[in-house]
Amino acid sequence: MDNLRLWHKFLQTIRSEISPANFKTYFLKTLLKSVGDDKITLSVPSAFIVETLDRDYKKLIEDIFEKLLGKKPTVEFVVKEFEQVPEENREDFFQAPQSSTTSSLNPKYTLENFVVGLSNNVAYAAAQAVVQNPGISYNPLFFYGGTGVGKTHLMVGIGNAILTKKPHLKIIYCSSEKFTNDYVAAIQTRKMGEFRAKYRATGLLLVDDVQFFSGRDQTQEEFFHTFNELTTKNSQIVLTSDRPPNEMPKLEDRLKSRFQGGLMVDIQPPGIDTRVAILKAKCAERGESLPEECLNLIASSVETNARELEGTLIRILQTLKTQNLPPTEEVIRSYLGQKPITPLSLNHKQVLSGLCEYFNIKMSDLTGPKRVKELVLPRHLAMHILSEELNLTVERIGEILGGRDHTTVMHGRDKIKHLITTDREMQRIMIEVKQTLSTPQT
Ligand code: ADP
Ligand code: MG
């Protein structure tokens, strides 16, 4: 059993033996630092917690490790060290010339402000382990999970933490699309040398949403070589995806097995306690606060993921401010009770004609064979809406769109799904399209 699994098992056991509040306070941000022959060291966020653990929990902790390991270790606690860098210097790193980071790391996403709960504690522990021993503990580290659960946050958090420790390390953070685009551009401009020099010289490579490598054979080939070169040099690689590698269609086997060769950890949607904690953290970041009842109300009404939770919170805070309303349960309840703008009880014909109206194109073009740029986005949107809102199968959607292959439909659907979460322009278009669809067409 490796340390991470051991720690995960430990957390599961102790969680069933102590109260949730104590578990949260004393164990969620505690990490397994090392496992020696007969000594186990835990790294603990504060001296206060060390004191309590040592006084009240030491025996229980040792007993649990005894059960898991078959012999009783001595447990010792140390306070987690943070290599703090003065604030002004930190700023410099983030604004460092683009040579060190492709698209520079968003300083908003750190490990410190990542709220740890049961849905993500293994992922968080893995992130910490990688920060402590980049390139050695788990290479690659592969996070997967649904949209908005914190994959990007955690990955960029790793980058920021390593950057703080090693300000001069070359770090690249990019989406799989950016990697693809760079690669294609390098071929076209005959600058493969530069491309390789850039991606293969990095000390830490963070690639977001690798599911978009699916079906791009040449890019996969290039990424495979990049991957090999980096891991040979013990450069850490962190990847995220909306699904595990074995569920990625059209991913080359050798790349699949590389992805599976490190540590794969899933991140689940946050449970109610974590959602409340996330809301608190996001309020605090904005210098705002809401009463506990209001936070509970919001957390119980938005169950999907942290991104939606945050979005809802921001809209609520804005509404309270602009309409000068008090933060009461009643006000929040009435806000949350408002109908969403998209009550879609449409059939597929209405969706298509709504899209034609919005984009001002002909139905015969939308469903026809023409391969022109203006038709790509409307078609992709059609694929997305028919799949997500009308729950049609990809095969059926292919038929509706004039006999397109189901893999084309999957590609279009996923593309939009991704863009909606990352691209403001796409969010705007989607809202407008849905408004068009929800106003009766004449
Ligand atoms: P993903 O990449 O999985 O789609 P993100 O990392 O972009 O999700 O997270 C979406 C938003 O939710 C971000 O603003 C992020 O800061 C926030 N978020 C997600 N999980 C957490 C968490 N555990 N603690 C704090 N914020 C979180
Ligand atoms: Mg993401």
Side-chain angles (χ1 to χ4, degrees), residues 7-25:
W7 184 236
H8 186 43
K9 283 228 160 79
F10 172 85
L11 288 177
Q12 276 178 331
T13 317
I14 197 153
R15 198 180 137 221
S16 61
E17 310 221 352
I18 65 178
S19 79
N22 285 340
F23 176 73
K24 224 154 120 180
T25 315

Side-chain angles (χ1 to χ4, degrees), residues 19-148:
S19 79
N22 285 340
F23 176 73
K24 224 154 120 180
T25 315
Y26 301 115
F27 291 96
L28 266 187
K29 287 220 166 176
T30 291
L31 293 166
L32 178 58
K33 191 172 163 123
S34 64
V35 182
D37 255 359
D38 41 21
K39 191 169 85 183
I40 284 187
T41 310
L42 301 185
S43 142
V44 180
S46 76
F48 159 74
I49 296 181
V50 169
E51 214 179 286
T52 316
L53 287 176
D54 200 44
R55 189 184 58 224
D56 301 337
Y57 289 101
K58 192 163 178 178
K59 173 146 190 340
L60 177 63
I61 296 173
E62 288 178 349
D63 287 349
I64 293 177
F65 276 121
E66 181 179 11
K67 270 188 215 128
L68 294 173
L69 295 169
K71 64 176 178 179
K72 193 176 195 123
T74 316
V75 170
E76 143 191 298
F77 308 101
V78 297
V79 179
K80 214 187 278 182
E81 2 150 343
F82 281 110
E83 286 171 49
Q84 278 296 2
V85 176
E87 281 300 316
E88 9 5 312
N89 288 358
R90 271 176 85 111
E91 285 299 304
D92 286 353
F93 301 153
F94 298 129
Q95 281 148 21
Q98 289 292 302
S99 63
S100 61
T101 49
T102 291
S103 117
S104 45
L105 297 169
N106 187 340
K108 237 179 62 187
Y109 296 151
T110 64
L111 296 185
E112 284 78 23
N113 68 12
F114 186 79
V115 175
V116 185
L118 296 172
S119 55
N120 58 26
N121 58 358
V122 179
Y124 179 80
Q128 292 280 14
V130 159
V131 169
Q132 268 159 22
N133 285 314
I136 295 163
S137 312
Y138 304 107
N139 211 4
L141 174 59
F142 189 105
F143 293 131
Y144 66 94
T147 172

Side-chain angles (χ1 to χ4, degrees), residues 108-109 113-116 120 145-154 208 274 278 281-282 306-307 310 421:
K108 237 179 62 187
Y109 296 151
N113 68 12
F114 186 79
V115 175
V116 185
N120 58 26
T147 172
V149 295
K151 302 182 297 292
T152 299
H153 185 138
L154 206 48
D208 215 351
T274 311
I278 290 176
K282 301 290 171 182
R307 180 181 292 114
E310 194 178 355
T421 63

Side-chain angles (χ1 to χ4, degrees), residues 148-164:
V149 295
K151 302 182 297 292
T152 299
H153 185 138
L154 206 48
M155 177 163 82
V156 173
I158 293 176
N160 280 323
I162 293 183
L163 192 61
T164 311

